[in-house]
Amino acid sequence: QVQLVESGGGLVQAGGSLRLSCAASTNIFRFNTMGWYRQTPGKERELVAGITGGGSTKYEDSVKGRFTISRARTKNMGYLQMNNLKPENTAVYYCNGRILLRADWGRGAQVNVCS
């Protein structure tokens, strides 16, 4: 089983930045896809940003131009750089990695954005 551990969450003022990190227990480039999801109370988990093994990225419309997903092969790390944060970005953010039909999740990192 692949283990994923998120870090880098916290409290930030609106307009500020945070970088979430996802440490993987395997070569990060083994993932067919890797993504960051967010979840707020009472709502389903939704994709914020994703990256394929080939490096193609996609973003949820409201974060385009503000969030950037990336990977670092040598460190087995994935990242989500979040700039110009808004209060509506407050959520628990989860790292997800998929190899073929198996998907693994981290435990999440809380991000709070205050106005």
Side-chain angles (χ1 to χ4, degrees), residues 1 5-6 15 30 38 45 49 67 76 79:
Q1 181 179 358
V5 180
E6 302 95 338
R30 286 187 60 203
R38 67 185 173 204
R45 205 170 289 187
F67 289 14
N76 286 340
Y79 303 100

PDB file of all heavy atoms in Angstrom, residues 1 5-6 15 30 38 45 49 67 76 79:
ATOM      1  N   GLN A   1       0.836  -1.184   0.000  1.00  0.00           N
ATOM      2  CA  GLN A   1       0.000   0.000   0.000  1.00  0.00           C
ATOM      3  C   GLN A   1       0.878   1.245   0.000  1.00  0.00           C
ATOM      4  O   GLN A   1       1.848   1.330   0.743  1.00  0.00           O
ATOM      5  CB  GLN A   1      -0.904   0.017   1.225  1.00  0.00           C
ATOM      6  CG  GLN A   1      -1.828   1.212   1.297  1.00  0.00           C
ATOM      7  CD  GLN A   1      -2.727   1.177   2.516  1.00  0.00           C
ATOM      8  OE1 GLN A   1      -2.677   0.241   3.292  1.00  0.00           O
ATOM      9  NE2 GLN A   1      -3.538   2.195   2.671  1.00  0.00           N
ATOM     10  N   VAL A   5       1.438  11.436   2.794  1.00  0.00           N
ATOM     11  CA  VAL A   5       1.340  12.274   3.986  1.00  0.00           C
ATOM     12  C   VAL A   5       1.401  13.732   3.561  1.00  0.00           C
ATOM     13  O   VAL A   5       2.405  14.181   2.993  1.00  0.00           O
ATOM     14  CB  VAL A   5       2.465  11.973   4.986  1.00  0.00           C
ATOM     15  CG1 VAL A   5       2.328  12.875   6.208  1.00  0.00           C
ATOM     16  CG2 VAL A   5       2.443  10.511   5.397  1.00  0.00           C
ATOM     17  N   GLU A   6       0.337  14.463   3.863  1.00  0.00           N
ATOM     18  CA  GLU A   6       0.285  15.884   3.535  1.00  0.00           C
ATOM     19  C   GLU A   6       0.884  16.723   4.663  1.00  0.00           C
ATOM     20  O   GLU A   6       0.826  16.339   5.829  1.00  0.00           O
ATOM     21  CB  GLU A   6      -1.166  16.348   3.304  1.00  0.00           C
ATOM     22  CG  GLU A   6      -1.914  15.629   2.212  1.00  0.00           C
ATOM     23  CD  GLU A   6      -2.739  14.478   2.721  1.00  0.00           C
ATOM     24  OE1 GLU A   6      -2.436  13.967   3.823  1.00  0.00           O
ATOM     25  OE2 GLU A   6      -3.687  14.063   2.039  1.00  0.00           O
ATOM     26  N   GLY A  15      -5.459  36.558   0.400  1.00  0.00           N
ATOM     27  CA  GLY A  15      -4.405  37.146  -0.412  1.00  0.00           C
ATOM     28  C   GLY A  15      -3.051  36.524  -0.186  1.00  0.00           C
ATOM     29  O   GLY A  15      -2.117  36.760  -0.963  1.00  0.00           O
ATOM     30  N   ARG A  30       5.567   7.004 -10.369  1.00  0.00           N
ATOM     31  CA  ARG A  30       4.844   5.753 -10.626  1.00  0.00           C
ATOM     32  C   ARG A  30       3.348   6.022 -10.780  1.00  0.00           C
ATOM     33  O   ARG A  30       2.635   5.232 -11.377  1.00  0.00           O
ATOM     34  CB  ARG A  30       5.043   4.767  -9.477  1.00  0.00           C
ATOM     35  CG  ARG A  30       6.402   4.114  -9.400  1.00  0.00           C
ATOM     36  CD  ARG A  30       6.394   3.044  -8.324  1.00  0.00           C
ATOM     37  NE  ARG A  30       5.401   2.013  -8.602  1.00  0.00           N
ATOM     38  CZ  ARG A  30       4.872   1.223  -7.676  1.00  0.00           C
ATOM     39  NH1 ARG A  30       5.212   1.356  -6.407  1.00  0.00           N
ATOM     40  NH2 ARG A  30       3.985   0.307  -8.007  1.00  0.00           N
ATOM     41  N   ARG A  38     -10.194  18.752  -2.209  1.00  0.00           N
ATOM     42  CA  ARG A  38     -10.582  19.479  -1.011  1.00  0.00           C
ATOM     43  C   ARG A  38     -11.967  19.026  -0.576  1.00  0.00           C
ATOM     44  O   ARG A  38     -12.778  18.571  -1.392  1.00  0.00           O
ATOM     45  CB  ARG A  38     -10.583  20.987  -1.259  1.00  0.00           C
ATOM     46  CG  ARG A  38     -11.634  21.467  -2.230  1.00  0.00           C
ATOM     47  CD  ARG A  38     -11.506  22.945  -2.510  1.00  0.00           C
ATOM     48  NE  ARG A  38     -12.411  23.374  -3.558  1.00  0.00           N
ATOM     49  CZ  ARG A  38     -12.223  24.447  -4.320  1.00  0.00           C
ATOM     50  NH1 ARG A  38     -11.147  25.222  -4.126  1.00  0.00           N
ATOM     51  NH2 ARG A  38     -13.100  24.770  -5.239  1.00  0.00           N
ATOM     52  N   ARG A  45     -15.904  15.379  -1.472  1.00  0.00           N
ATOM     53  CA  ARG A  45     -14.550  15.713  -1.853  1.00  0.00           C
ATOM     54  C   ARG A  45     -14.524  16.044  -3.355  1.00  0.00           C
ATOM     55  O   ARG A  45     -15.131  15.341  -4.156  1.00  0.00           O
ATOM     56  CB  ARG A  45     -13.635  14.522  -1.558  1.00  0.00           C
ATOM     57  CG  ARG A  45     -12.205  14.835  -1.331  1.00  0.00           C
ATOM     58  CD  ARG A  45     -11.477  13.607  -0.808  1.00  0.00           C
ATOM     59  NE  ARG A  45     -11.865  13.287   0.563  1.00  0.00           N
ATOM     60  CZ  ARG A  45     -11.279  12.339   1.287  1.00  0.00           C
ATOM     61  NH1 ARG A  45     -10.298  11.624   0.762  1.00  0.00           N
ATOM     62  NH2 ARG A  45     -11.675  12.111   2.520  1.00  0.00           N
ATOM     63  N   ALA A  49      -6.823  20.083  -8.253  1.00  0.00           N
ATOM     64  CA  ALA A  49      -5.779  20.084  -9.277  1.00  0.00           C
ATOM     65  C   ALA A  49      -5.286  18.665  -9.474  1.00  0.00           C
ATOM     66  O   ALA A  49      -5.224  17.894  -8.521  1.00  0.00           O
ATOM     67  CB  ALA A  49      -4.615  20.981  -8.863  1.00  0.00           C
ATOM     68  N   PHE A  67      -3.418  28.458  -8.320  1.00  0.00           N
ATOM     69  CA  PHE A  67      -2.841  27.232  -7.765  1.00  0.00           C
ATOM     70  C   PHE A  67      -1.993  26.543  -8.824  1.00  0.00           C
ATOM     71  O   PHE A  67      -2.315  26.570 -10.014  1.00  0.00           O
ATOM     72  CB  PHE A  67      -3.945  26.268  -7.334  1.00  0.00           C
ATOM     73  CG  PHE A  67      -4.729  26.685  -6.114  1.00  0.00           C
ATOM     74  CD1 PHE A  67      -4.658  27.977  -5.604  1.00  0.00           C
ATOM     75  CD2 PHE A  67      -5.536  25.762  -5.461  1.00  0.00           C
ATOM     76  CE1 PHE A  67      -5.383  28.345  -4.488  1.00  0.00           C
ATOM     77  CE2 PHE A  67      -6.270  26.111  -4.342  1.00  0.00           C
ATOM     78  CZ  PHE A  67      -6.196  27.404  -3.858  1.00  0.00           C
ATOM     79  N   ASN A  76      10.411  12.336  -4.050  1.00  0.00           N
ATOM     80  CA  ASN A  76       9.130  11.630  -3.966  1.00  0.00           C
ATOM     81  C   ASN A  76       8.059  12.515  -3.341  1.00  0.00           C
ATOM     82  O   ASN A  76       7.312  12.085  -2.457  1.00  0.00           O
ATOM     83  CB  ASN A  76       9.264  10.322  -3.175  1.00  0.00           C
ATOM     84  CG  ASN A  76       9.987   9.251  -3.962  1.00  0.00           C
ATOM     85  OD1 ASN A  76      10.067   9.327  -5.192  1.00  0.00           O
ATOM     86  ND2 ASN A  76      10.522   8.275  -3.271  1.00  0.00           N
ATOM     87  N   TYR A  79       3.372  18.665  -4.773  1.00  0.00           N
ATOM     88  CA  TYR A  79       3.131  19.958  -4.167  1.00  0.00           C
ATOM     89  C   TYR A  79       1.871  20.604  -4.756  1.00  0.00           C
ATOM     90  O   TYR A  79       1.500  20.349  -5.902  1.00  0.00           O
ATOM     91  CB  TYR A  79       4.315  20.908  -4.413  1.00  0.00           C
ATOM     92  CG  TYR A  79       5.629  20.384  -3.921  1.00  0.00           C
ATOM     93  CD1 TYR A  79       6.541  19.788  -4.793  1.00  0.00           C
ATOM     94  CD2 TYR A  79       5.971  20.474  -2.572  1.00  0.00           C
ATOM     95  CE1 TYR A  79       7.746  19.303  -4.340  1.00  0.00           C
ATOM     96  CE2 TYR A  79       7.181  19.993  -2.115  1.00  0.00           C
ATOM     97  CZ  TYR A  79       8.059  19.411  -3.004  1.00  0.00           C
ATOM     98  OH  TYR A  79       9.258  18.927  -2.545  1.00  0.00           O
TER      99      TYR A  79
END
